[in-house]
Amino acid sequence: MKPIEVFKALSNESRLEILQWLKEPEQHFTPHEGIDMREIGVCVSQVTEKLNMTQSTASQYLSILNRAGLIKTERLGKFTYYKRDEEVIREIGEYLKQEI
């Protein structure tokens, strides 16, 4: 985990919202048939719809969160699904408690 990359990723309101939505995806997204959103995640089209933005912007936001290590990806067929990396999020909490 690179703290500066994490903080850069979280400095955008929409990216922060994405992380909040992914914490409880069933409350914020309609699942794809046969997909457990807690186990597999949500796809970019679901995030795009929720953000009411273009798919390229939503993809860019997800990419930034992924590079910061805050989310993980899983490819199934033609879809890429995104979910939180809870271990990294816990590490950030510990970092804030100990270092700041």
Side-chain angles (χ1 to χ4, degrees), residues 2 30 57 82 87 96 100:
K2 294 182 180 176
T30 302
T57 301
Y82 301 86
E87 179 66 29
L96 289 170
I100 295 180

Side-chain angles (χ1 to χ4, degrees), residues 22-26 29-43 46 74 76 81-83:
L22 292 177
K23 185 174 183 178
E24 297 180 282
E26 63 281 344
F29 301 100
T30 302
H32 281 174
E33 187 174 330
I35 298 295
D36 179 340
M37 292 186 293
R38 284 220 181 242
E39 283 295 312
I40 305 296
V42 301
C43 77
Q46 293 166 290
E74 183 170 339
L76 291 176
Y81 293 89
Y82 301 86
K83 68 178 182 178

Side-chain angles (χ1 to χ4, degrees), residues 2-98:
K2 294 182 180 176
I4 195 71
E5 293 303 318
V6 169
F7 297 135
K8 283 181 189 178
L10 296 176
S11 69
N12 175 281
E13 185 177 356
S14 294
R15 292 191 297 260
L16 190 55
E17 281 182 319
I18 292 169
L19 268 187
Q20 290 168 335
W21 296 335
L22 292 177
K23 185 174 183 178
E24 297 180 282
E26 63 281 344
Q27 292 183 12
H28 301 283
F29 301 100
T30 302
H32 281 174
E33 187 174 330
I35 298 295
D36 179 340
M37 292 186 293
R38 284 220 181 242
E39 283 295 312
I40 305 296
V42 301
C43 77
V44 69
S45 64
Q46 293 166 290
V47 175
T48 299
E49 186 177 312
K50 181 86 171 161
L51 286 173
N52 197 25
M53 293 182 176
T54 64
Q55 184 165 339
S56 63
T57 301
S59 292
Q60 181 182 25
Y61 285 173
L62 289 164
S63 178
I64 290 167
L65 291 169
N66 188 44
R67 281 195 308 270
L70 295 167
I71 61 174
K72 302 185 223 182
T73 63
E74 183 170 339
R75 182 96 175 153
L76 291 176
K78 65 179 183 172
F79 297 103
T80 301
Y81 293 89
Y82 301 86
K83 68 178 182 178
R84 291 164 45 115
D85 188 328
E86 297 298 337
E87 179 66 29
V88 171
I89 292 169
R90 272 190 291 280
E91 286 176 20
I92 294 163
E94 286 301 313
Y95 174 82
L96 289 170
K97 279 197 265 185
Q98 295 176 11

